[in-house]
Amino acid sequence: MTSTHYDQLYTEFLNGNQVKGIEELVVRLHDAREDGTAFHQATEALRNHKLFDLVRKDPYTDHSMQRPRGYPGDAELIDMIYRVEPKGDPDDFGRSIFDRTIACGASEAVRQRLKFARELLSIAVANGQSVCSLAGGHLREGDDLVGQIQLPFTVVDQDAQSLSVIRNTHGDAIEAIEANVFNWLRTAPRDGRSYDLVYSLGLTDYLDARQLLVFTKLAAKIVAPGGKLVLANFHDHRWSAYMEAAMDWYLVYRTEEDMAQNAKDAGLNHRMFRDATGYIIYCEMWV
Ligand SMILES: C[S@@+](CC[C@H](N)C(=O)[O-])C[C@H]1O[C@@H](n2cnc3c(N)ncnc32)[C@H](O)[C@@H]1O
């Protein structure tokens, strides 16, 4: 992808063909990603091109680039995906790009992940199980369960703003702990922490293989006998290059083999499946 390609796309956008333009950009960036150096250059060229100002009229892309909370994939961004509602009040041009980017397969996979989490939680809550959500964000999967959740139900997240959303929604019914999950997990077993369901969705995609293994082993230590640990991780997909180049959103993509190896190295049994989009791998583990 060169400046000339971006010039052509810029004209396309200005002619009112921004949805087609975004789709072309996604395909071209995806192709460029085959070659690491070329992709790095394509990313730099895009971010310095006037086309990027037009692309950033999309509130979803722009929020990701801005990282208002200082880290990628914050809960506000994830809320935009869940609600299919832009933050702020984009003009028609930005709105039309938003409608395309928010509908992409990766975003759909995140919405399906929420559906999965809702089912997981409602079964646990209905059965009176204890639950620990690691890197829980706004815990949107619990929104329909207000008044039904009972302690022990713990959410750990590093982001104080996200935790106040949970406290405002659930009051004292949920223990919301502000901590780095690694630090918290290191002392949790000593503090007598033990849960029937321990899960983490949207965190492992930021961990390298060594960190994932450490995290899995630590999390497994707070799983009660007969309980389970559930993780979900993105598989590579056709929008990943757009996310990286235009949204500065880099994930660690994994295969079933990677997830199986991780479970094995952690000394855990596992069961795996993919969602209907094929973009997210779910891994349930138990001792
Ligand atoms: C992509 S969001 C997912 C939130 C939620 N699980 C969901 O599925 O909607 C990732 C969350 O992980 C949290 N996070 C990232 N690294 C963390 C860490 N090391 N310790 C605690 N929380 C972390 C962020 O604050 C953010 O809320």
Side-chain angles (χ1 to χ4, degrees), residues 26 29-31 33 39 237-246:
V26 167
L29 286 169
H30 185 263
D31 292 346
R33 197 164 172 264
F39 185 57
H237 56 83
R238 53 181 290 273
W239 278 69
S240 54
Y242 178 86
M243 284 171 60
E244 291 175 359

Side-chain angles (χ1 to χ4, degrees), residues 93 167 216:
F93 188 92
R167 289 191 192 105
T216 308

Side-chain angles (χ1 to χ4, degrees), residues 71 73-75 78 82 113 134-138 141 156-159 162 179-182 201-203 206:
Y71 60 89
D74 64 59
I78 305 299
Y82 288 158
R113 193 177 68 193
L134 297 166
H138 288 162
E141 60 269 34
V156 185
D157 199 285
Q158 65 180 3
D159 190 321
S162 294
N180 179 308
V181 288
F182 286 91
L201 310 173
L203 171 73
Y206 300 87

Side-chain angles (χ1 to χ4, degrees), residues 24-46:
E24 266 183 60
L25 183 61
V26 167
V27 170
R28 288 186 181 197
L29 286 169
H30 185 263
D31 292 346
R33 197 164 172 264
E34 294 292 309
D35 174 342
T37 312
F39 185 57
H40 179 71
Q41 285 163 355
T43 299
E44 287 298 300
L46 172 67

Side-chain angles (χ1 to χ4, degrees), residues 131-135 154-157 175-191 193-195 198 215 218-219 222:
V131 177
C132 179
S133 168
L134 297 166
T154 305
V155 181
V156 185
D157 199 285
E175 181 190 24
I177 298 176
E178 183 186 342
N180 179 308
V181 288
F182 286 91
N183 295 340
W184 185 79
L185 284 169
R186 280 199 179 93
T187 57
R190 231 182 295 147
D191 297 338
R193 301 280 183 174
S194 179
Y195 302 87
V198 179
F215 176 71
L218 286 171
I222 58 162

